[in-house]
Amino acid sequence: MKIAVIGRGNVGGGLADLWERADHEVSRIGREGGDVSDAEVVLVAVPGGAIADALDNVGGLEGKMVIDATNLVGVDPPEGFSSNAEYVKSKTSGPTAKSFNANFASLYERIGEAGSRPSSLWSGEEEARQVVEQLTRDAGYEPVYAGPLENAAAQENFIKLIFGISQGGLGPFLYRMASPDKL
Ligand SMILES: NC(=O)c1ccc[n+]([C@@H]2O[C@H](COP(=O)([O-])OP(=O)(O)OC[C@H]3O[C@@H](n4cnc5c(N)ncnc54)[C@H](OP(=O)(O)O)[C@@H]3O)[C@@H](O)[C@H]2O)c1
């Protein structure tokens, strides 16, 4: 599949590496912007508060399927939207999903160590299901559907619980849940 990642840091760059290993063709766009006309699917992985700037710098988004992996850390979604994913939808009008925002990028290289496939939540539109679920499996995760795009706000807020658990000292617990042999 031809994939474009907007944001080539821990998440965008990390998933690009995993997808290239699964024989996908990935182009990587940073803050300089670029064009995604050739891509079949676009991943957005920029700081949550930079989503409007990031999309404004990218051409060819009209009608594209987009997977939004952003989190809102100390910032709100753009005015008038309850989630970044719904903002993305308003800019592209293509099939849209929220995914990968609840998985730590620092564990990408350790997915293979897990006793069973770690889960990755996604919420979004049915038209995106096949691609999201394939790319989730190709990255090494098992997709877990979490409802329609209206649930993206809840999925973005879910990260606060994960941070809370992590700051409470049980971060690795989330990893061990998927790796019973490491308990
Ligand atoms: N790290 C995690 O474990 C994790 C997990 C799930 C979700 N997330 C979320 O995923 C997103 C990316 O996180 P990350 O850890 O990958 O961040 P990161 O390593 O700092 O990478 C951020 C990327 O966004 C680009 N960028 C920054 N400001 C931009 C702007 N104004 N316009 C366009 N592009 C811009 C940067 O471009 P340059 O390359 O040009 O600098 C960089 O490629 C965030 O929303 C984060 O909350 C993170």
Side-chain angles (χ1 to χ4, degrees):
M1 207 179 295
K2 284 189 173 179
I3 305 167
V5 298
I6 304 174
R8 56 190 171 197
N10 299 308
V11 175
L15 287 173
D17 290 345
L18 295 175
W19 286 331
E20 281 174 350
R21 278 178 227 160
D23 290 332
H24 295 293
E25 192 182 317
V26 188
S27 58
R28 306 176 190 222
I29 294 172
R31 75 187 71 208
E32 75 286 355
D35 190 277
V36 298
S37 301
D38 279 352
E40 292 159 84
V41 57
V42 176
L43 175 86
V44 180
V46 300
I51 194 153
D53 280 350
L55 297 190
D56 283 350
N57 280 337
V58 173
L61 276 167
E62 183 62 32
K64 285 289 169 198
M65 183 178 301
V66 177
I67 302 173
D68 170 28
T70 61
N71 276 317
L72 294 158
V73 182
V75 290
D76 294 322
E79 201 173 335
F81 296 91
S82 57
S83 69
N84 267 0
E86 288 162 293
Y87 175 76
V88 168
K89 174 76 186 180
S90 77
K91 299 296 279 186
T92 64
S93 304
T96 306
K98 184 92 211 171
S99 192
F100 299 109
N101 71 309
N103 297 95
F104 289 114
S106 56
L107 295 178
Y108 289 162
E109 292 301 324
R110 298 178 61 190
I111 295 172
E113 296 171 28
S116 58
R117 267 177 181 254
S119 300
S120 177
L121 294 179
W122 78 276
S123 50
E125 297 179 301
E126 280 303 318
E127 300 93 312
R129 178 183 290 273
Q130 190 186 349
V131 168
V132 172
E133 295 192 344
Q134 182 185 337
L135 291 182
T136 300
R137 291 196 177 95
D138 288 349
Y141 294 98
E142 189 58 30
V144 175
Y145 177 61
L149 193 60
E150 294 72 32
N151 283 9
Q155 191 171 323
E156 290 174 6
N157 274 315
F158 177 63
I159 195 66
K160 292 175 190 163
L161 299 182
I162 294 189
F163 282 167
I165 292 167
S166 182
Q167 283 157 11
L170 286 173
F173 177 69
L174 295 170
Y175 176 62
R176 288 200 301 268
M177 282 197 309
S179 316
D181 54 315
K182 304 249 177 343
L183 280 169

